[in-house]
């Protein structure tokens, strides 16, 4: 790992953010290497790593840190932004088929739903009302003409870059939207799961506030469980999954009577992959 002058002289918050990005990109890093790269002492690096570990961004080991995923780590927005990007983009493009001008739609704080915001930023479906608690989505759509943006308030959660808590749940409860687009950590046995209770309460409120609900999951989430049940899959009008889903996982959805659509993923060259189903 070579040192970079651009990363020297950063303040603590900026240095920690850059450090997290580096570990996410490379998988692991040594404390001595990080100290050289950022031009600070080993003691400072260890303080930074302690803070990143407290946030659930990294796991420390003797001499360095690793980006090995865990339930808490996978909650971190910086980690989620870097995973399964092509699949999430495919799900978002497919989801837009269920959006019409004049609708009010609700996006949760998943990075899958964020891809819908990216797609909307490219234009084409207006006028539209978009409601979200995800700061990343708010920033993407804040200057978009033809979109009425409603940001849900609450307690800001840095780990998720979103607004949560009782006040957020209450704000959602005052609304009625046409469609809610949401994602979860796992889908198994006819239920959707998530590892964090305070996230679950917001997602449930969003489902209650929508006339229709669409669940977007990349294929790695099929067959997985987490600590908390969010809702039975019957609570969703439609499940969207990318074409990496194995046949056995799709059969499980069939057995539970889940209505789903398989979305073709595009390669870097822009060609569609052949669907599994």
């Amino acid at each position: 790992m070579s040192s970079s002058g651009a990363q020297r002289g950063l303040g603590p918050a900026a240095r920690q953010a850059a450090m997290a990005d580096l570990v996410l990109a490379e998988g692991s890093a040594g404390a001595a290497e990080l100290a050289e790269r950022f031009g600070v002492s080993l003691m400072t690096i260890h303080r930074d790593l302690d803070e990143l570990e407290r946030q659930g961004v990294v796991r420390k080991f003797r001499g360095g840190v690793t980006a090995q995923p865990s339930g808490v780590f996978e909650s971190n927005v910086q980690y989620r932004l870097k995973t399964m990007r092509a699949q999430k983009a495919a799900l978002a493009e497919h989801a837009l088929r269920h959006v019409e001008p004049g609708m009010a739609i609700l996006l949760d704080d998943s990075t899958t739903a964020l891809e819908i915001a990216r797609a909307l930023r490219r234009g084409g479906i207006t006028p539209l009302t978009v409601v979200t608690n995800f700061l990343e989505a708010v920033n993407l759509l804040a200057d978009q003409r033809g979109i009425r943006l409603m940001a849900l308030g609450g307690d800001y959660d840095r780990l998720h870059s979103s607004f949560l808590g009782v006040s957020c749940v209450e704000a959602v409860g005052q609304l009625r939207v046409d469609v809610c687009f949401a994602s979860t950590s796992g889908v198994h046995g006819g239920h959707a799961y998530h590892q964090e209770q305070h996230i679950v309460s917001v997602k449930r409120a969003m489902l209650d506030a929508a006339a229709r609900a669409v669940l977007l999951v990349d294929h790695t989430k099929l067959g997985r469980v987490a600590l908390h049940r969010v809702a039975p899959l019957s609570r969703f009008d439609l499940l969207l999954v990318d074409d990496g889903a194995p046949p056995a996982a799709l059969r499980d959805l069939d057995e539970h009577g889940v209505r789903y659509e398989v979305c073709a993923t595009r390669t870097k060259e822009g060609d569609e992959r052949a669907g599994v189903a």
Side-chain angles (χ1 to χ4, degrees), residues 141-220:
L141 298 175
D143 61 351
Q144 192 66 18
R145 295 184 63 181
I147 291 182
R148 178 192 180 195
L149 180 63
M150 296 181 65
L152 295 167
D155 298 320
Y156 180 67
D157 187 307
R158 182 181 176 189
L159 183 65
H160 300 88
S161 190
S162 63
F163 297 90
L164 303 167
V166 173
S167 53
C168 182
V169 171
E170 291 179 347
V172 175
Q174 300 301 311
L175 302 174
R176 185 64 175 174
V177 300
D178 296 295
V179 187
C180 170
F181 294 101
S183 187
T184 58
S185 304
V187 170
H188 179 73
H191 284 83
Y193 292 84
H194 199 279
Q195 65 267 24
E196 294 167 281
Q197 189 174 22
H198 65 302
I199 299 289
V200 169
S201 61
V202 174
K203 289 184 187 291
R204 287 175 177 168
M206 288 180 168
L207 295 179
D208 290 340
R212 298 181 65 246
V214 179
L215 179 64
L216 298 85
V217 290
D218 67 71
H219 69 272
T220 64

Side-chain angles (χ1 to χ4, degrees), residues 27-45:
S28 63
E33 294 172 305
L34 291 171
E36 179 184 355
R37 185 182 188 98
F38 291 95
V40 295
S41 68
L42 271 174
M43 183 177 296
T44 298
I45 285 296

Side-chain angles (χ1 to χ4, degrees), residues 91-92 94-100 103-110 112-114 116-117 120 128 130-133 177-184 203 206-207 210 212-216 236 238 240:
L91 294 171
H94 196 100
L96 291 186
R97 301 179 187 181
H98 301 275
V99 178
E100 299 176 359
M103 278 187 167
I105 68 171
L106 180 56
L107 305 179
D108 73 354
D109 65 349
S110 66
T112 309
L114 181 64
I116 296 178
L120 290 174
L128 198 67
V130 178
V131 184
T132 185
N133 66 325
V177 300
D178 296 295
V179 187
C180 170
F181 294 101
S183 187
T184 58
K203 289 184 187 291
M206 288 180 168
L207 295 179
R212 298 181 65 246
V214 179
L215 179 64
L216 298 85
F236 297 90
L238 179 66
L240 300 182

Side-chain angles (χ1 to χ4, degrees), residues 1-276:
M1 183 189 305
S2 61
S3 61
S4 171
Q7 292 182 311
R8 292 171 176 263
L10 297 175
R15 185 175 60 248
Q16 290 165 16
M19 198 178 302
D21 288 342
L22 187 149
V23 175
L24 287 168
E26 299 190 6
S28 63
E33 294 172 305
L34 291 171
E36 179 184 355
R37 185 182 188 98
F38 291 95
V40 295
S41 68
L42 271 174
M43 183 177 296
T44 298
I45 285 296
H46 281 294
R47 282 199 298 267
D48 288 341
L49 296 180
D50 286 341
E51 173 60 19
L52 291 175
E53 186 175 50
R54 185 192 68 78
Q55 296 174 20
V57 177
V58 300
R59 285 181 176 182
K60 290 188 70 177
F61 61 87
R62 182 171 183 148
V65 289
T66 177
Q68 181 178 349
S70 66
V72 173
F73 187 85
E74 289 176 359
S75 297
N76 184 273
V77 68
Q78 295 304 320
Y79 171 79
R80 293 185 287 122
L81 284 169
K82 297 174 184 292
T83 62
M84 307 300 288
R85 284 292 303 274
Q87 290 78 8
K88 292 173 181 177
L91 294 171
E93 290 293 339
H94 196 100
L96 291 186
R97 301 179 187 181
H98 301 275
V99 178
E100 299 176 359
M103 278 187 167
I105 68 171
L106 180 56
L107 305 179
D108 73 354
D109 65 349
S110 66
T111 53
T112 309
L114 181 64
E115 291 298 326
I116 296 178
R118 293 188 199 280
L120 290 174
R121 185 174 173 80
R122 294 192 287 271
I125 307 177
T126 55
L128 198 67
T129 297
V130 178
V131 184
T132 185
N133 66 325
F134 198 6
L135 183 58
E136 305 287 329
V138 171
N139 290 335
L140 271 177
L141 298 175
D143 61 351
Q144 192 66 18
R145 295 184 63 181
I147 291 182
R148 178 192 180 195
L149 180 63
M150 296 181 65
L152 295 167
D155 298 320
Y156 180 67
D157 187 307
R158 182 181 176 189
L159 183 65
H160 300 88
S161 190
S162 63
F163 297 90
L164 303 167
V166 173
S167 53
C168 182
V169 171
E170 291 179 347
V172 175
Q174 300 301 311
L175 302 174
R176 185 64 175 174
V177 300
D178 296 295
V179 187
C180 170
F181 294 101
S183 187
T184 58
S185 304
V187 170
H188 179 73
H191 284 83
Y193 292 84
H194 199 279
Q195 65 267 24
E196 294 167 281
Q197 189 174 22
H198 65 302
I199 299 289
V200 169
S201 61
V202 174
K203 289 184 187 291
R204 287 175 177 168
M206 288 180 168
L207 295 179
D208 290 340
R212 298 181 65 246
V214 179
L215 179 64
L216 298 85
V217 290
D218 67 71
H219 69 272
T220 64
K221 296 178 179 179
L222 297 182
R224 293 181 60 184
V225 297
L227 184 59
H228 302 282
R229 283 186 178 181
V230 177
L233 295 182
S234 59
R235 182 65 183 77
F236 297 90
D237 298 273
L238 179 66
L239 182 149
L240 300 182
V241 65
D242 67 89
D243 56 13
L250 297 181
R251 284 196 299 271
D252 184 67
L253 295 178
D254 288 329
E255 290 172 1
H256 286 90
V258 178
R259 183 188 169 214
Y260 65 88
E261 295 175 3
V262 178
C263 312
T265 305
R266 294 182 181 275
T267 66
K268 291 182 180 179
E269 291 74 24
D271 299 325
E272 289 191 353
R273 284 176 40 182
V276 173

